[in-house]
Structures are given as structure tokens and as C-alpha cells.
């Protein structure tokens, strides 16, 4: 029996406007934009080869704008290139993949301008998780203020309503980092 060999790409999104973070939702529209970029760059045959059963979104973090994408090992460099060519994501109801949506998104869509950079490529999801964990530490320790309230973190999607029992509690950077690391470690290979 032959095993499918995959690569995992840790991608970071850089938004043009900070307010567009909430529009991205669960990250499906970003994956559709990557597929559209593959289609326009490599054509229908390239999309069929690269976006096969191994192409999947494995992890998405809206507060951190990080995601892990699984791709086929054979086409990992091509998907990396197509990912860096994405300049905007069309977000909205009724989104369907395809090149026609890329050029004429229609009513109900919002265009989010962004840039995607691949931070790490790994052969296993565990090594990609460790790269994501180190990136989470960099993001939260370098760019954010010293403290956050649990309401702010809940609005950013860090906690469910069960996890934050004491509302208004001040949480330091180490707690925020630990919460992000636990999200990464819950990934299933």
C-alpha cells in the first residue's frame, strides 16, 4: 500500500485594513482564493493536479491570521508560489469557487485586500505545529499590549463562553500565549 506524501504550509495573512479581520470568518474564502490563484496561474489541469484530495485547510486562527494548509508533496512549491500571488479575497454569502468570481464577484461580496506569506513548510503536521507555536509567541509577545481583558479575548475568538467564567479579569501575555499554544496542539494529524 502506498502512502500519500504531503507537505504542510504555515501561512500568515497581512491585511491592508485591520477591520477586515472579522470578515474572513473560518478561512474558507482564503482557501478558495488560493484555489483561484492556482487556476489562473496553472490552468485547469494544474488546479486538478494541485487541488486534489490532499489540498485542505488543517488549521485556521482568525485572531492571529495564521493557517496551516496541507498540499501534495509533488506540487508544494507551485502551491507556495500561487499562495504568495493572492492579493485579495472575496468574502460573502453564496461564495462559489471559480475564476469568474475572481473577476466579477457580484452582489453580496466584499473584497478584502491582503498578502499571504508562507512562513514554514514541513513534511509533518507536528513540525508545522511547532513552527506555528513559535510564531504565536513572536506575535503575542512583540506586537500586543501587555494585558487584555477576557471580553476582548472572547471577541477576538480566543475563548468560548464556557472558558471565561470570570468576566473582566485581566489576563497577561503568558496566558494569551498559552491559550494559542493549546489551540495549536489540539490539531489532529
Amino acid at each position: 500500500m502506498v502512502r500519500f506524501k504531503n507537505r504542510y504550509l504555515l501561512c500568515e495573512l497581512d491585511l491592508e485594513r485591520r477591520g477586515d479581520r472579522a470578515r474572513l470568518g473560518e478561512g474558507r474564502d482564503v482557501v478558495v482564493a488560493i484555489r483561484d490563484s492556482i487556476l489562473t496561474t496553472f490552468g485547469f489541469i494544474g488546479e486538478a493536479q494541485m487541488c486534489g484530495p490532499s489540498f485542505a485547510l488543517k488549521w485556521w486562527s482568525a485572531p492571529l491570521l495564521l493557517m496551516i494548509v496541507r498540499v501534495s508533496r509533488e506540487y508544494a512549491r507551485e502551491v507556495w508560489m500561487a499562495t504568495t500571488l493572492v492579493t485579495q479575497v472575496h468574502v460573502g454569502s453564496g461564495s462559489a469557487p471559480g475564476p469568474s468570481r475572481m473577476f466579477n464577484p457580484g452582489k453580496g461580496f466584499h473584497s478584502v485586500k491582503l498578502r499571504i506569506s508562507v512562513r514554514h513548510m514541513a513534511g509533518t503536521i507536528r513540525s508545522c505545529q511547532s513552527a506555528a507555536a513559535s510564531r504565536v509567541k513572536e506575535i503575542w509577545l512583540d506586537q500586543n499590549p501587555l494585558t487584555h481583558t477576557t471580553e476582548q479575548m472572547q471577541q477576538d475568538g480566543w475563548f468560548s463562553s464556557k472558558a471565561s467564567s470570570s468576566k473582566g479579569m485581566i489576563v497577561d501575555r503568558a496566558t494569551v500565549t498559552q491559550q494559542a499554544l493549546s489551540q495549536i496542539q489540539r490539531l489532529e494529524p
Side-chain angles (χ1 to χ4, degrees):
M1 185 172 181
V2 178
R3 201 178 98 190
F4 291 111
K5 306 280 183 161
N6 296 317
R7 291 286 181 255
Y8 296 90
L9 301 177
L10 174 65
C11 303
E12 183 175 7
L13 282 66
D14 184 25
L15 297 177
E16 189 174 285
R17 290 179 294 177
R18 290 271 181 201
D20 290 337
R21 182 182 300 221
R23 289 185 178 178
L24 291 176
E26 296 177 8
R28 292 187 194 129
D29 293 318
V30 179
V31 174
V32 169
I34 293 171
R35 283 181 185 251
D36 289 345
S37 176
I38 291 171
L39 179 64
T40 56
T41 307
F42 298 105
F44 289 109
I45 295 173
E47 183 196 23
Q49 290 173 341
M50 293 176 218
C51 298
S54 56
F55 184 78
L57 177 68
K58 295 303 284 179
W59 179 70
W60 166 255
S61 175
L64 296 173
L65 295 173
L66 288 173
M67 65 184 201
I68 296 177
V69 180
R70 184 185 66 198
V71 299
S72 174
R73 181 178 76 170
E74 191 175 358
Y75 302 107
R77 293 282 179 185
E78 289 84 359
V79 173
W80 184 333
M81 185 195 73
T83 301
T84 57
L85 293 176
V86 174
T87 58
Q88 63 183 355
V89 174
H90 297 293
V91 180
S93 60
S95 60
S100 61
R101 193 189 94 184
M102 202 155 115
F103 300 110
N104 186 11
K107 292 186 178 179
F109 289 98
H110 303 283
S111 181
V112 176
K113 296 207 180 271
L114 54 81
R115 187 177 54 129
I116 302 175
S117 57
V118 178
R119 294 290 180 188
H120 186 74
M121 181 170 69
T124 63
I125 196 163
R126 287 184 189 233
S127 61
C128 203
Q129 285 174 341
S130 65
S134 65
R135 185 66 188 146
V136 165
K137 288 178 184 177
E138 289 175 19
I139 289 171
W140 282 105
L141 295 178
D142 294 341
Q143 297 176 1
N144 283 341
L146 292 175
T147 58
H148 295 280
T149 63
T150 52
E151 286 102 12
Q152 291 169 341
M153 293 172 68
Q154 192 170 15
Q155 288 172 356
D156 289 342
W158 280 101
F159 295 118
S160 64
S161 58
K162 298 176 193 172
S164 60
S165 58
S166 59
K167 298 215 178 239
M169 181 180 88
I170 301 294
V171 180
D172 63 354
R173 292 184 300 183
T175 307
V176 174
T177 304
Q178 288 300 321
Q179 180 66 28
L181 295 176
S182 67
Q183 280 184 353
I184 293 170
Q185 291 170 351
R186 284 190 299 238
L187 279 174
E188 296 179 15

